[in-house]
Amino acid sequence: MAQGDPTHASPLPALEIRGLHFRYGNDSAAPYTVAVPDLRLDAGEEMLLVGSSGSGKSTLLQLIAGLLEPSSGSVRVAGTDIHGLRGSARDRFRGRSIGMVFQTFHLLQGFSALENVLVALLMSDAPKADWTARAEGLLRSLGIDRLDAKVEELSVGQQQRVAVARALAARPALVLADEPTASLDPENAVNAVRVLRDACREQGAALLVVSHDPSLESHFERRERLIKGGMLAEVAR
């Protein structure tokens, strides 16, 4: 697997959250869904965020990715306040700086494994002439040899690897993984976590995984928990 982009070897944290609050609706008396006073993830660092269903894990990821607007506070990814960007500028920044692995993968059905990764490069800074080599290299490094196979023809484990390749295609500073093992059996779940962690390390990307699966905790040295009201409680560091 290719080595990570040296531009990511930066003193800037991959993720820095300060005073983040979010609530649904306009009722100022309603409790916050997410309240994160401070969270920092350094370049190349890994963290597992655990919490029960409904604790706000997916909401927090959407706030980090700029898909939801906070009630207050800031989210900086590689030094950029993502909520300070608007419209297409935010979309471009997200596409270049944040990789996302979804619970159900969200791959483009009817498209090949290679095409699914190439789509992610539309937002990258990489020269177009390098896109195919970049996508092919990532897929092969993750054990996908049937590059032209439609994703629905691949096994669930193979689809997860395509999703990881897509998330890393633009060399993001940060990868967000939302319940990445929920669709997998226990054996494949262990392999999936290993693949995701190894791939992020090789590419120099920080990794934030959110899950309610307790079996993942032994794979991460740094673990934090979302408790009622979306507050963070440190588990291990």
Side-chain angles (χ1 to χ4, degrees), residues 4 7 9 19 24 35 48 62 93 106 142 153 168 172 177 184-185 203 219:
T7 61
Y24 286 102
L48 174 67
Q62 291 180 67
F93 178 78
H106 288 202
L142 289 165
E153 298 171 356
L168 290 166
L184 306 174
D185 59 53
Q203 299 296 319
H219 297 277

Side-chain angles (χ1 to χ4, degrees), residues 39-166:
L39 176 64
R40 175 182 171 123
L41 199 61
D42 288 326
E45 189 177 3
E46 301 174 348
M47 186 181 118
L48 174 67
L49 182 62
V50 296
S52 60
S53 296
S55 61
K57 302 186 304 299
S58 294
T59 298
L60 177 58
L61 288 193
Q62 291 180 67
L63 289 163
I64 293 170
L67 299 171
L68 287 176
E69 294 295 323
S71 304
S72 61
S74 65
V75 176
R76 291 185 177 274
V77 176
T80 295
D81 182 355
I82 191 167
H83 296 286
L85 303 174
R86 292 291 179 267
S88 61
R90 186 184 296 185
D91 293 339
R92 286 193 300 271
F93 178 78
R94 182 190 304 115
R96 293 170 180 170
S97 301
I98 302 174
M100 303 181 73
V101 180
F102 302 96
Q103 178 176 341
T104 53
F105 308 146
H106 288 202
L107 298 174
L108 297 174
Q109 301 297 300
F111 288 79
S112 69
L114 180 61
E115 288 167 337
N116 267 270
V117 180
L118 287 172
V119 165
L121 286 162
L122 291 171
M123 291 289 187
S124 76
D125 293 323
K128 191 171 182 178
D130 297 341
W131 288 3
T132 299
R134 169 72 178 161
E136 289 180 348
L138 270 171
L139 286 166
R140 292 191 190 281
S141 72
L142 289 165
I144 302 297
D145 295 318
R146 298 172 58 205
L147 306 185
D148 293 328
K150 299 293 188 289
V151 290
E152 57 267 31
E153 298 171 356
L154 301 175
S155 69
V156 173
Q158 289 172 323
Q159 290 181 31
Q160 198 261 0
R161 290 170 185 249
V162 174
V164 171
R166 181 185 60 186

Side-chain angles (χ1 to χ4, degrees), residues 48 197 214-221 223:
L48 174 67
R197 293 177 66 205
S215 70
L216 298 188
E217 295 192 22
S218 62
H219 297 277
F220 290 83
E221 289 187 9
R223 305 186 299 277

Side-chain angles (χ1 to χ4, degrees), residues 29-41:
Y32 286 117
T33 305
V34 171
V36 179
D38 182 69
L39 176 64
R40 175 182 171 123
L41 199 61

Side-chain angles (χ1 to χ4, degrees), residues 23-32:
R23 63 163 61 89
Y24 286 102
N26 298 317
D27 183 0
S28 60
Y32 286 117

